[in-house]
Amino acid sequence: AQSVTQLGSHVSVSEGALVLLRCNYSSSVPPYLFWYVQYPNQGLQLLLKYTTGATLVKGINGFEAEFKKSETSFHLTKPSAHMSDAAEYFCAVSVLTGTASKLTFGTGTRLQVTL
Amino acid sequence: DTGVSQDPRHKITKRGQNVTFRCDPISEHNRLYWYRQTLGQGPEFLTYFQNEAQLEKSRLLSDRFSAERPKGSFSTLEIQRTEQGDSAMYLCASSPRGAGEQETQYFGPGTRLLVL
């Protein structure tokens, strides 16, 4: 069975500092990996996804993530945090069962950005 | 493309009452998913439709829960005899035809349910 572990339920960084949100996955088949962001009282918005090909994936708002098969990781980074990045971030793995592509999510990491 | 919409955004009900939520997917998206998100957790898969056919249901979906997508467009999720443990955010997502496991699911804003 596929699973996702997000290390650190809360991460706090200063504005302008590097953002690093950790995600490790477990999958018996080549994974398809996603990062979603959730702002308060809103649904989830896709930041980026890895399917095949280049292991460094660039997303919206300056975020990127690198797929490392040897480490079973898909950490999310941003060189310089902005106040507007404060939100909850979810890593997810896609599982194809029959015709359904179910997302299995981690428990989320809440990012706080301070002045 | 107006995005996935959900109605209502918030619902407060008393234990034992029935509630129904609606999801309107992005037009021409033939796949529709329901997820449930409890406080401090990531969303968990509940059920999936391809067009009007409900093809998969999670074991989380007890017999008090029923979902429909009668014309392959909007979907409803009904909870009968609500319990306090049903309090959660119910999220709907849709994705386009034929995308497979690489598909991007587009999420609505969710319906937050509170059962008193």
mmCIF file of all heavy atoms in Angstrom, chain B residues 18-63:
data_model
loop_
_atom_site.group_PDB
_atom_site.id
_atom_site.type_symbol
_atom_site.label_atom_id
_atom_site.label_comp_id
_atom_site.label_asym_id
_atom_site.label_seq_id
_atom_site.Cartn_x
_atom_site.Cartn_y
_atom_site.Cartn_z
ATOM 1 N N ASN B 18 -30.299 14.540 8.792
ATOM 2 C CA ASN B 18 -29.702 14.223 7.500
ATOM 3 C C ASN B 18 -29.182 15.498 6.856
ATOM 4 O O ASN B 18 -29.774 16.571 7.012
ATOM 5 C CB ASN B 18 -30.742 13.582 6.567
ATOM 6 C CG ASN B 18 -31.296 12.280 7.118
ATOM 7 O OD1 ASN B 18 -30.709 11.668 8.022
ATOM 8 N ND2 ASN B 18 -32.421 11.856 6.581
ATOM 9 N N VAL B 19 -28.084 15.387 6.148
ATOM 10 C CA VAL B 19 -27.542 16.534 5.420
ATOM 11 C C VAL B 19 -27.172 16.095 4.009
ATOM 12 O O VAL B 19 -26.845 14.931 3.767
ATOM 13 C CB VAL B 19 -26.299 17.133 6.115
ATOM 14 C CG1 VAL B 19 -26.664 17.726 7.463
ATOM 15 C CG2 VAL B 19 -25.181 16.108 6.260
ATOM 16 N N THR B 20 -27.213 17.055 3.089
ATOM 17 C CA THR B 20 -26.830 16.789 1.696
ATOM 18 C C THR B 20 -25.947 17.913 1.201
ATOM 19 O O THR B 20 -26.249 19.086 1.397
ATOM 20 C CB THR B 20 -28.071 16.679 0.795
ATOM 21 O OG1 THR B 20 -28.901 15.613 1.256
ATOM 22 C CG2 THR B 20 -27.654 16.391 -0.642
ATOM 23 N N PHE B 21 -24.865 17.526 0.568
ATOM 24 C CA PHE B 21 -23.932 18.484 -0.015
ATOM 25 C C PHE B 21 -23.931 18.316 -1.529
ATOM 26 O O PHE B 21 -24.115 17.216 -2.043
ATOM 27 C CB PHE B 21 -22.505 18.243 0.503
ATOM 28 C CG PHE B 21 -22.395 18.129 1.987
ATOM 29 C CD1 PHE B 21 -21.542 17.198 2.561
ATOM 30 C CD2 PHE B 21 -23.131 18.941 2.831
ATOM 31 C CE1 PHE B 21 -21.422 17.083 3.936
ATOM 32 C CE2 PHE B 21 -23.026 18.835 4.204
ATOM 33 C CZ PHE B 21 -22.173 17.904 4.761
ATOM 34 N N ARG B 22 -23.625 19.433 -2.204
ATOM 35 C CA ARG B 22 -23.594 19.391 -3.662
ATOM 36 C C ARG B 22 -22.212 19.790 -4.164
ATOM 37 O O ARG B 22 -21.564 20.665 -3.579
ATOM 38 C CB ARG B 22 -24.635 20.338 -4.240
ATOM 39 C CG ARG B 22 -24.592 20.432 -5.768
ATOM 40 C CD ARG B 22 -25.670 21.310 -6.306
ATOM 41 N NE ARG B 22 -25.465 21.584 -7.722
ATOM 42 C CZ ARG B 22 -26.400 21.402 -8.651
ATOM 43 N NH1 ARG B 22 -27.610 20.965 -8.323
ATOM 44 N NH2 ARG B 22 -26.125 21.670 -9.915
ATOM 45 N N CYS B 23 -21.792 19.169 -5.250
ATOM 46 C CA CYS B 23 -20.535 19.503 -5.907
ATOM 47 C C CYS B 23 -20.793 19.677 -7.392
ATOM 48 O O CYS B 23 -21.379 18.804 -8.036
ATOM 49 C CB CYS B 23 -19.507 18.399 -5.693
ATOM 50 S SG CYS B 23 -18.014 18.593 -6.707
ATOM 51 N N ASP B 24 -20.340 20.797 -7.938
ATOM 52 C CA ASP B 24 -20.369 21.024 -9.379
ATOM 53 C C ASP B 24 -18.943 21.001 -9.897
ATOM 54 O O ASP B 24 -18.157 21.903 -9.574
ATOM 55 C CB ASP B 24 -21.050 22.360 -9.712
ATOM 56 C CG ASP B 24 -22.544 22.300 -9.518
ATOM 57 O OD1 ASP B 24 -23.020 22.571 -8.390
ATOM 58 O OD2 ASP B 24 -23.237 21.948 -10.484
ATOM 59 N N PRO B 25 -18.591 20.005 -10.677
ATOM 60 C CA PRO B 25 -17.207 19.907 -11.152
ATOM 61 C C PRO B 25 -16.946 20.882 -12.284
ATOM 62 O O PRO B 25 -17.854 21.562 -12.769
ATOM 63 C CB PRO B 25 -17.137 18.465 -11.660
ATOM 64 C CG PRO B 25 -18.534 18.187 -12.141
ATOM 65 C CD PRO B 25 -19.435 18.930 -11.192
ATOM 66 N N ILE B 26 -15.700 20.947 -12.696
ATOM 67 C CA ILE B 26 -15.356 21.726 -13.882
ATOM 68 C C ILE B 26 -16.069 21.072 -15.066
ATOM 69 O O ILE B 26 -16.082 19.845 -15.198
ATOM 70 C CB ILE B 26 -13.837 21.751 -14.078
ATOM 71 C CG1 ILE B 26 -13.184 22.524 -12.916
ATOM 72 C CG2 ILE B 26 -13.469 22.360 -15.420
ATOM 73 C CD1 ILE B 26 -11.674 22.440 -12.880
ATOM 74 N N SER B 27 -16.654 21.901 -15.899
ATOM 75 C CA SER B 27 -17.445 21.362 -17.011
ATOM 76 C C SER B 27 -16.564 20.486 -17.902
ATOM 77 O O SER B 27 -15.389 20.780 -18.119
ATOM 78 C CB SER B 27 -18.049 22.500 -17.833
ATOM 79 O OG SER B 27 -17.042 23.318 -18.361
ATOM 80 N N GLU B 28 -17.144 19.391 -18.338
ATOM 81 C CA GLU B 28 -16.476 18.404 -19.202
ATOM 82 C C GLU B 28 -15.474 17.527 -18.468
ATOM 83 O O GLU B 28 -14.827 16.694 -19.091
ATOM 84 C CB GLU B 28 -15.812 19.066 -20.412
ATOM 85 C CG GLU B 28 -16.820 19.794 -21.283
ATOM 86 C CD GLU B 28 -16.177 20.417 -22.512
ATOM 87 O OE1 GLU B 28 -14.949 20.327 -22.651
ATOM 88 O OE2 GLU B 28 -16.934 20.993 -23.304
ATOM 89 N N HIS B 29 -15.319 17.722 -17.169
ATOM 90 C CA HIS B 29 -14.532 16.767 -16.387
ATOM 91 C C HIS B 29 -15.430 15.565 -16.107
ATOM 92 O O HIS B 29 -16.496 15.700 -15.497
ATOM 93 C CB HIS B 29 -14.068 17.374 -15.068
ATOM 94 C CG HIS B 29 -12.840 18.199 -15.202
ATOM 95 N ND1 HIS B 29 -12.102 18.618 -14.110
ATOM 96 C CD2 HIS B 29 -12.185 18.661 -16.289
ATOM 97 C CE1 HIS B 29 -11.066 19.315 -14.527
ATOM 98 N NE2 HIS B 29 -11.100 19.362 -15.846
ATOM 99 N N ASN B 30 -14.995 14.382 -16.541
ATOM 100 C CA ASN B 30 -15.867 13.229 -16.366
ATOM 101 C C ASN B 30 -15.594 12.476 -15.070
ATOM 102 O O ASN B 30 -16.366 11.626 -14.667
ATOM 103 C CB ASN B 30 -15.756 12.281 -17.563
ATOM 104 C CG ASN B 30 -14.427 11.557 -17.620
ATOM 105 O OD1 ASN B 30 -13.393 12.087 -17.225
ATOM 106 N ND2 ASN B 30 -14.451 10.332 -18.107
ATOM 107 N N ARG B 31 -14.496 12.808 -14.379
ATOM 108 C CA ARG B 31 -14.180 12.115 -13.139
ATOM 109 C C ARG B 31 -14.421 13.035 -11.949
ATOM 110 O O ARG B 31 -14.042 14.204 -11.963
ATOM 111 C CB ARG B 31 -12.721 11.655 -13.137
ATOM 112 C CG ARG B 31 -12.431 10.695 -14.260
ATOM 113 C CD ARG B 31 -11.014 10.212 -14.226
ATOM 114 N NE ARG B 31 -10.772 9.277 -15.321
ATOM 115 C CZ ARG B 31 -9.784 8.416 -15.347
ATOM 116 N NH1 ARG B 31 -8.941 8.363 -14.338
ATOM 117 N NH2 ARG B 31 -9.629 7.613 -16.370
ATOM 118 N N LEU B 32 -15.042 12.485 -10.926
ATOM 119 C CA LEU B 32 -15.383 13.273 -9.757
ATOM 120 C C LEU B 32 -15.077 12.462 -8.505
ATOM 121 O O LEU B 32 -15.400 11.264 -8.438
ATOM 122 C CB LEU B 32 -16.868 13.666 -9.794
ATOM 123 C CG LEU B 32 -17.366 14.638 -8.722
ATOM 124 C CD1 LEU B 32 -18.469 15.532 -9.271
ATOM 125 C CD2 LEU B 32 -17.827 13.919 -7.472
ATOM 126 N N TYR B 33 -14.429 13.104 -7.554
ATOM 127 C CA TYR B 33 -14.004 12.447 -6.322
ATOM 128 C C TYR B 33 -14.568 13.192 -5.113
ATOM 129 O O TYR B 33 -14.680 14.416 -5.117
ATOM 130 C CB TYR B 33 -12.475 12.476 -6.204
ATOM 131 C CG TYR B 33 -11.728 11.753 -7.288
ATOM 132 C CD1 TYR B 33 -11.520 12.337 -8.540
ATOM 133 C CD2 TYR B 33 -11.204 10.485 -7.060
ATOM 134 C CE1 TYR B 33 -10.824 11.667 -9.528
ATOM 135 C CE2 TYR B 33 -10.502 9.814 -8.045
ATOM 136 C CZ TYR B 33 -10.313 10.416 -9.278
ATOM 137 O OH TYR B 33 -9.615 9.752 -10.253
ATOM 138 N N TRP B 34 -14.853 12.439 -4.065
ATOM 139 C CA TRP B 34 -15.170 13.011 -2.758
ATOM 140 C C TRP B 34 -14.092 12.570 -1.772
ATOM 141 O O TRP B 34 -13.693 11.391 -1.732
ATOM 142 C CB TRP B 34 -16.527 12.538 -2.252
ATOM 143 C CG TRP B 34 -17.709 13.191 -2.914
ATOM 144 C CD1 TRP B 34 -18.471 12.689 -3.936
ATOM 145 C CD2 TRP B 34 -18.288 14.456 -2.579
ATOM 146 N NE1 TRP B 34 -19.482 13.569 -4.255
ATOM 147 C CE2 TRP B 34 -19.393 14.650 -3.432
ATOM 148 C CE3 TRP B 34 -17.989 15.441 -1.625
ATOM 149 C CZ2 TRP B 34 -20.195 15.800 -3.385
ATOM 150 C CZ3 TRP B 34 -18.787 16.575 -1.574
ATOM 151 C CH2 TRP B 34 -19.880 16.743 -2.446
ATOM 152 N N TYR B 35 -13.642 13.540 -0.963
ATOM 153 C CA TYR B 35 -12.683 13.277 0.103
ATOM 154 C C TYR B 35 -13.234 13.873 1.402
ATOM 155 O O TYR B 35 -14.036 14.804 1.394
ATOM 156 C CB TYR B 35 -11.331 13.958 -0.188
ATOM 157 C CG TYR B 35 -10.548 13.366 -1.331
ATOM 158 C CD1 TYR B 35 -10.817 13.727 -2.644
ATOM 159 C CD2 TYR B 35 -9.498 12.479 -1.091
ATOM 160 C CE1 TYR B 35 -10.090 13.202 -3.701
ATOM 161 C CE2 TYR B 35 -8.757 11.944 -2.145
ATOM 162 C CZ TYR B 35 -9.060 12.316 -3.433
ATOM 163 O OH TYR B 35 -8.327 11.794 -4.471
ATOM 164 N N ARG B 36 -12.752 13.358 2.514
ATOM 165 C CA ARG B 36 -13.099 13.917 3.810
ATOM 166 C C ARG B 36 -11.814 14.307 4.529
ATOM 167 O O ARG B 36 -10.838 13.527 4.537
ATOM 168 C CB ARG B 36 -13.865 12.899 4.656
ATOM 169 C CG ARG B 36 -14.303 13.437 6.025
ATOM 170 C CD ARG B 36 -15.209 12.461 6.738
ATOM 171 N NE ARG B 36 -14.515 11.245 7.133
ATOM 172 C CZ ARG B 36 -15.119 10.194 7.648
ATOM 173 N NH1 ARG B 36 -16.435 10.191 7.815
ATOM 174 N NH2 ARG B 36 -14.424 9.131 7.985
ATOM 175 N N GLN B 37 -11.824 15.477 5.142
ATOM 176 C CA GLN B 37 -10.652 15.981 5.840
ATOM 177 C C GLN B 37 -11.046 16.357 7.263
ATOM 178 O O GLN B 37 -11.836 17.279 7.473
ATOM 179 C CB GLN B 37 -10.062 17.204 5.122
ATOM 180 C CG GLN B 37 -8.794 17.729 5.746
ATOM 181 C CD GLN B 37 -8.237 18.932 5.015
ATOM 182 O OE1 GLN B 37 -8.918 19.595 4.241
ATOM 183 N NE2 GLN B 37 -6.971 19.228 5.235
ATOM 184 N N THR B 38 -10.506 15.638 8.213
ATOM 185 C CA THR B 38 -10.744 15.973 9.613
ATOM 186 C C THR B 38 -9.616 16.859 10.114
ATOM 187 O O THR B 38 -8.557 16.964 9.492
ATOM 188 C CB THR B 38 -10.859 14.711 10.482
ATOM 189 O OG1 THR B 38 -9.695 13.905 10.260
ATOM 190 C CG2 THR B 38 -12.093 13.916 10.119
ATOM 191 N N LEU B 39 -9.862 17.485 11.250
ATOM 192 C CA LEU B 39 -8.932 18.489 11.771
ATOM 193 C C LEU B 39 -7.546 17.905 11.967
ATOM 194 O O LEU B 39 -7.370 16.856 12.590
ATOM 195 C CB LEU B 39 -9.472 19.028 13.091
ATOM 196 C CG LEU B 39 -9.004 20.429 13.489
ATOM 197 C CD1 LEU B 39 -9.389 21.445 12.430
ATOM 198 C CD2 LEU B 39 -9.596 20.804 14.845
ATOM 199 N N GLY B 40 -6.560 18.560 11.390
ATOM 200 C CA GLY B 40 -5.177 18.130 11.579
ATOM 201 C C GLY B 40 -4.755 16.964 10.711
ATOM 202 O O GLY B 40 -3.646 16.440 10.889
ATOM 203 N N GLN B 41 -5.609 16.573 9.791
ATOM 204 C CA GLN B 41 -5.290 15.437 8.926
ATOM 205 C C GLN B 41 -5.343 15.848 7.463
ATOM 206 O O GLN B 41 -5.925 16.876 7.100
ATOM 207 C CB GLN B 41 -6.284 14.299 9.156
ATOM 208 C CG GLN B 41 -6.297 13.764 10.575
ATOM 209 C CD GLN B 41 -4.971 13.141 10.958
ATOM 210 O OE1 GLN B 41 -4.367 12.395 10.191
ATOM 211 N NE2 GLN B 41 -4.490 13.453 12.156
ATOM 212 N N GLY B 42 -4.755 15.028 6.628
ATOM 213 C CA GLY B 42 -4.903 15.229 5.205
ATOM 214 C C GLY B 42 -6.223 14.651 4.722
ATOM 215 O O GLY B 42 -6.849 13.840 5.414
ATOM 216 N N PRO B 43 -6.657 15.052 3.547
ATOM 217 C CA PRO B 43 -7.899 14.487 2.996
ATOM 218 C C PRO B 43 -7.794 12.981 2.808
ATOM 219 O O PRO B 43 -6.728 12.454 2.487
ATOM 220 C CB PRO B 43 -8.023 15.205 1.644
ATOM 221 C CG PRO B 43 -7.217 16.455 1.782
ATOM 222 C CD PRO B 43 -6.076 16.078 2.676
ATOM 223 N N GLU B 44 -8.934 12.313 3.014
ATOM 224 C CA GLU B 44 -9.011 10.864 2.805
ATOM 225 C C GLU B 44 -10.069 10.566 1.755
ATOM 226 O O GLU B 44 -11.166 11.129 1.786
ATOM 227 C CB GLU B 44 -9.376 10.157 4.107
ATOM 228 C CG GLU B 44 -8.331 10.279 5.196
ATOM 229 C CD GLU B 44 -8.814 9.673 6.499
ATOM 230 O OE1 GLU B 44 -9.749 10.233 7.109
ATOM 231 O OE2 GLU B 44 -8.278 8.628 6.908
ATOM 232 N N PHE B 45 -9.743 9.671 0.855
ATOM 233 C CA PHE B 45 -10.629 9.301 -0.244
ATOM 234 C C PHE B 45 -11.906 8.674 0.283
ATOM 235 O O PHE B 45 -11.880 7.806 1.153
ATOM 236 C CB PHE B 45 -9.893 8.327 -1.162
ATOM 237 C CG PHE B 45 -10.743 7.695 -2.221
ATOM 238 C CD1 PHE B 45 -11.025 8.376 -3.394
ATOM 239 C CD2 PHE B 45 -11.266 6.418 -2.056
ATOM 240 C CE1 PHE B 45 -11.811 7.796 -4.377
ATOM 241 C CE2 PHE B 45 -12.036 5.824 -3.033
ATOM 242 C CZ PHE B 45 -12.313 6.515 -4.202
ATOM 243 N N LEU B 46 -13.037 9.110 -0.282
ATOM 244 C CA LEU B 46 -14.325 8.509 0.055
ATOM 245 C C LEU B 46 -14.905 7.714 -1.109
ATOM 246 O O LEU B 46 -15.263 6.544 -0.964
ATOM 247 C CB LEU B 46 -15.338 9.585 0.469
ATOM 248 C CG LEU B 46 -15.105 10.295 1.797
ATOM 249 C CD1 LEU B 46 -16.186 11.332 2.035
ATOM 250 C CD2 LEU B 46 -15.048 9.301 2.941
ATOM 251 N N THR B 47 -15.027 8.368 -2.275
ATOM 252 C CA THR B 47 -15.664 7.697 -3.393
ATOM 253 C C THR B 47 -15.309 8.396 -4.688
ATOM 254 O O THR B 47 -14.803 9.514 -4.692
ATOM 255 C CB THR B 47 -17.192 7.638 -3.206
ATOM 256 O OG1 THR B 47 -17.772 6.783 -4.206
ATOM 257 C CG2 THR B 47 -17.823 9.025 -3.323
ATOM 258 N N TYR B 48 -15.600 7.701 -5.806
ATOM 259 C CA TYR B 48 -15.175 8.169 -7.120
ATOM 260 C C TYR B 48 -16.246 7.853 -8.156
ATOM 261 O O TYR B 48 -16.832 6.778 -8.130
ATOM 262 C CB TYR B 48 -13.861 7.472 -7.466
ATOM 263 C CG TYR B 48 -13.542 7.367 -8.934
ATOM 264 C CD1 TYR B 48 -13.152 8.488 -9.659
ATOM 265 C CD2 TYR B 48 -13.589 6.138 -9.580
ATOM 266 C CE1 TYR B 48 -12.841 8.388 -11.004
ATOM 267 C CE2 TYR B 48 -13.278 6.023 -10.931
ATOM 268 C CZ TYR B 48 -12.900 7.150 -11.636
ATOM 269 O OH TYR B 48 -12.588 7.060 -12.957
ATOM 270 N N PHE B 49 -16.478 8.800 -9.039
ATOM 271 C CA PHE B 49 -17.405 8.626 -10.152
ATOM 272 C C PHE B 49 -16.676 8.827 -11.470
ATOM 273 O O PHE B 49 -15.856 9.740 -11.595
ATOM 274 C CB PHE B 49 -18.545 9.661 -10.096
ATOM 275 C CG PHE B 49 -19.516 9.439 -8.986
ATOM 276 C CD1 PHE B 49 -19.268 9.945 -7.715
ATOM 277 C CD2 PHE B 49 -20.691 8.741 -9.195
ATOM 278 C CE1 PHE B 49 -20.175 9.756 -6.691
ATOM 279 C CE2 PHE B 49 -21.605 8.543 -8.173
ATOM 280 C CZ PHE B 49 -21.335 9.058 -6.923
ATOM 281 N N GLN B 50 -17.007 7.988 -12.416
ATOM 282 C CA GLN B 50 -16.629 8.263 -13.794
ATOM 283 C C GLN B 50 -17.945 8.424 -14.548
ATOM 284 O O GLN B 50 -18.717 7.477 -14.674
ATOM 285 C CB GLN B 50 -15.785 7.152 -14.395
ATOM 286 C CG GLN B 50 -15.349 7.466 -15.820
ATOM 287 C CD GLN B 50 -14.205 6.597 -16.284
ATOM 288 O OE1 GLN B 50 -13.119 6.636 -15.713
ATOM 289 N NE2 GLN B 50 -14.448 5.781 -17.292
ATOM 290 N N ASN B 51 -18.168 9.636 -15.033
ATOM 291 C CA ASN B 51 -19.495 9.995 -15.544
ATOM 292 C C ASN B 51 -20.522 9.745 -14.442
ATOM 293 O O ASN B 51 -20.325 10.205 -13.324
ATOM 294 C CB ASN B 51 -19.786 9.245 -16.826
ATOM 295 C CG ASN B 51 -18.768 9.551 -17.903
ATOM 296 O OD1 ASN B 51 -18.463 10.725 -18.152
ATOM 297 N ND2 ASN B 51 -18.204 8.518 -18.521
ATOM 298 N N GLU B 52 -21.580 8.995 -14.723
ATOM 299 C CA GLU B 52 -22.600 8.800 -13.687
ATOM 300 C C GLU B 52 -22.358 7.543 -12.856
ATOM 301 O O GLU B 52 -23.070 7.302 -11.884
ATOM 302 C CB GLU B 52 -23.996 8.749 -14.317
ATOM 303 C CG GLU B 52 -24.238 7.570 -15.245
ATOM 304 C CD GLU B 52 -23.731 7.824 -16.651
ATOM 305 O OE1 GLU B 52 -23.084 8.860 -16.883
ATOM 306 O OE2 GLU B 52 -23.993 6.971 -17.530
ATOM 307 N N ALA B 53 -21.367 6.776 -13.216
ATOM 308 C CA ALA B 53 -21.111 5.506 -12.533
ATOM 309 C C ALA B 53 -20.202 5.692 -11.323
ATOM 310 O O ALA B 53 -19.106 6.246 -11.432
ATOM 311 C CB ALA B 53 -20.487 4.522 -13.511
ATOM 312 N N GLN B 54 -20.682 5.198 -10.182
ATOM 313 C CA GLN B 54 -19.860 5.208 -8.976
ATOM 314 C C GLN B 54 -19.002 3.948 -8.995
ATOM 315 O O GLN B 54 -19.504 2.838 -8.789
ATOM 316 C CB GLN B 54 -20.740 5.247 -7.732
ATOM 317 C CG GLN B 54 -19.976 5.418 -6.430
ATOM 318 C CD GLN B 54 -20.894 5.570 -5.224
ATOM 319 O OE1 GLN B 54 -22.062 5.220 -5.265
ATOM 320 N NE2 GLN B 54 -20.373 6.118 -4.143
ATOM 321 N N LEU B 55 -17.710 4.103 -9.219
ATOM 322 C CA LEU B 55 -16.853 2.960 -9.474
ATOM 323 C C LEU B 55 -16.098 2.477 -8.253
ATOM 324 O O LEU B 55 -15.608 1.346 -8.256
ATOM 325 C CB LEU B 55 -15.871 3.283 -10.604
ATOM 326 C CG LEU B 55 -16.509 3.577 -11.967
ATOM 327 C CD1 LEU B 55 -15.435 3.802 -13.017
ATOM 328 C CD2 LEU B 55 -17.439 2.438 -12.381
ATOM 329 N N GLU B 56 -15.965 3.314 -7.262
ATOM 330 C CA GLU B 56 -15.244 2.858 -6.082
ATOM 331 C C GLU B 56 -15.717 3.607 -4.848
ATOM 332 O O GLU B 56 -16.022 4.793 -4.910
ATOM 333 C CB GLU B 56 -13.738 3.045 -6.244
ATOM 334 C CG GLU B 56 -12.932 2.422 -5.112
ATOM 335 C CD GLU B 56 -11.463 2.286 -5.431
ATOM 336 O OE1 GLU B 56 -11.089 2.464 -6.603
ATOM 337 O OE2 GLU B 56 -10.687 2.002 -4.496
ATOM 338 N N LYS B 57 -15.777 2.873 -3.740
ATOM 339 C CA LYS B 57 -16.137 3.463 -2.455
ATOM 340 C C LYS B 57 -15.150 2.998 -1.406
ATOM 341 O O LYS B 57 -14.802 1.820 -1.341
ATOM 342 C CB LYS B 57 -17.555 3.043 -2.039
ATOM 343 C CG LYS B 57 -18.650 3.575 -2.936
ATOM 344 C CD LYS B 57 -20.021 3.378 -2.326
ATOM 345 C CE LYS B 57 -20.424 1.930 -2.245
ATOM 346 N NZ LYS B 57 -21.821 1.782 -1.778
ATOM 347 N N SER B 58 -14.734 3.924 -0.569
ATOM 348 C CA SER B 58 -13.837 3.593 0.525
ATOM 349 C C SER B 58 -14.626 2.912 1.647
ATOM 350 O O SER B 58 -15.823 3.126 1.812
ATOM 351 C CB SER B 58 -13.193 4.868 1.057
ATOM 352 O OG SER B 58 -12.617 4.664 2.330
ATOM 353 N N ARG B 59 -13.893 2.132 2.444
ATOM 354 C CA ARG B 59 -14.537 1.541 3.619
ATOM 355 C C ARG B 59 -14.911 2.605 4.640
ATOM 356 O O ARG B 59 -15.680 2.364 5.568
ATOM 357 C CB ARG B 59 -13.612 0.509 4.257
ATOM 358 C CG ARG B 59 -12.266 1.061 4.664
ATOM 359 C CD ARG B 59 -11.370 -0.048 5.222
ATOM 360 N NE ARG B 59 -10.012 0.405 5.436
ATOM 361 C CZ ARG B 59 -9.615 1.150 6.445
ATOM 362 N NH1 ARG B 59 -10.484 1.520 7.363
ATOM 363 N NH2 ARG B 59 -8.373 1.534 6.564
ATOM 364 N N LEU B 60 -14.371 3.824 4.449
ATOM 365 C CA LEU B 60 -14.757 4.942 5.322
ATOM 366 C C LEU B 60 -16.209 5.346 5.078
ATOM 367 O O LEU B 60 -16.836 5.974 5.929
ATOM 368 C CB LEU B 60 -13.859 6.155 5.056
ATOM 369 C CG LEU B 60 -12.391 6.056 5.418
ATOM 370 C CD1 LEU B 60 -11.663 7.317 4.972
ATOM 371 C CD2 LEU B 60 -12.221 5.850 6.921
ATOM 372 N N LEU B 61 -16.719 4.993 3.910
ATOM 373 C CA LEU B 61 -18.069 5.393 3.529
ATOM 374 C C LEU B 61 -19.055 4.378 4.092
ATOM 375 O O LEU B 61 -19.364 3.368 3.453
ATOM 376 C CB LEU B 61 -18.158 5.450 2.006
ATOM 377 C CG LEU B 61 -19.091 6.502 1.405
ATOM 378 C CD1 LEU B 61 -18.608 7.891 1.736
ATOM 379 C CD2 LEU B 61 -19.185 6.318 -0.094
ATOM 380 N N SER B 62 -19.539 4.668 5.310
ATOM 381 C CA SER B 62 -20.472 3.734 5.941
ATOM 382 C C SER B 62 -21.812 3.759 5.209
ATOM 383 O O SER B 62 -22.031 4.579 4.302
ATOM 384 C CB SER B 62 -20.673 4.122 7.406
ATOM 385 O OG SER B 62 -21.513 5.267 7.497
ATOM 386 N N ASP B 63 -22.716 2.883 5.633
ATOM 387 C CA ASP B 63 -24.011 2.802 4.956
ATOM 388 C C ASP B 63 -24.874 4.021 5.228
ATOM 389 O O ASP B 63 -25.948 4.178 4.636
ATOM 390 C CB ASP B 63 -24.750 1.510 5.332
ATOM 391 C CG ASP B 63 -24.938 1.364 6.830
ATOM 392 O OD1 ASP B 63 -24.595 2.310 7.573
ATOM 393 O OD2 ASP B 63 -25.413 0.304 7.255
#
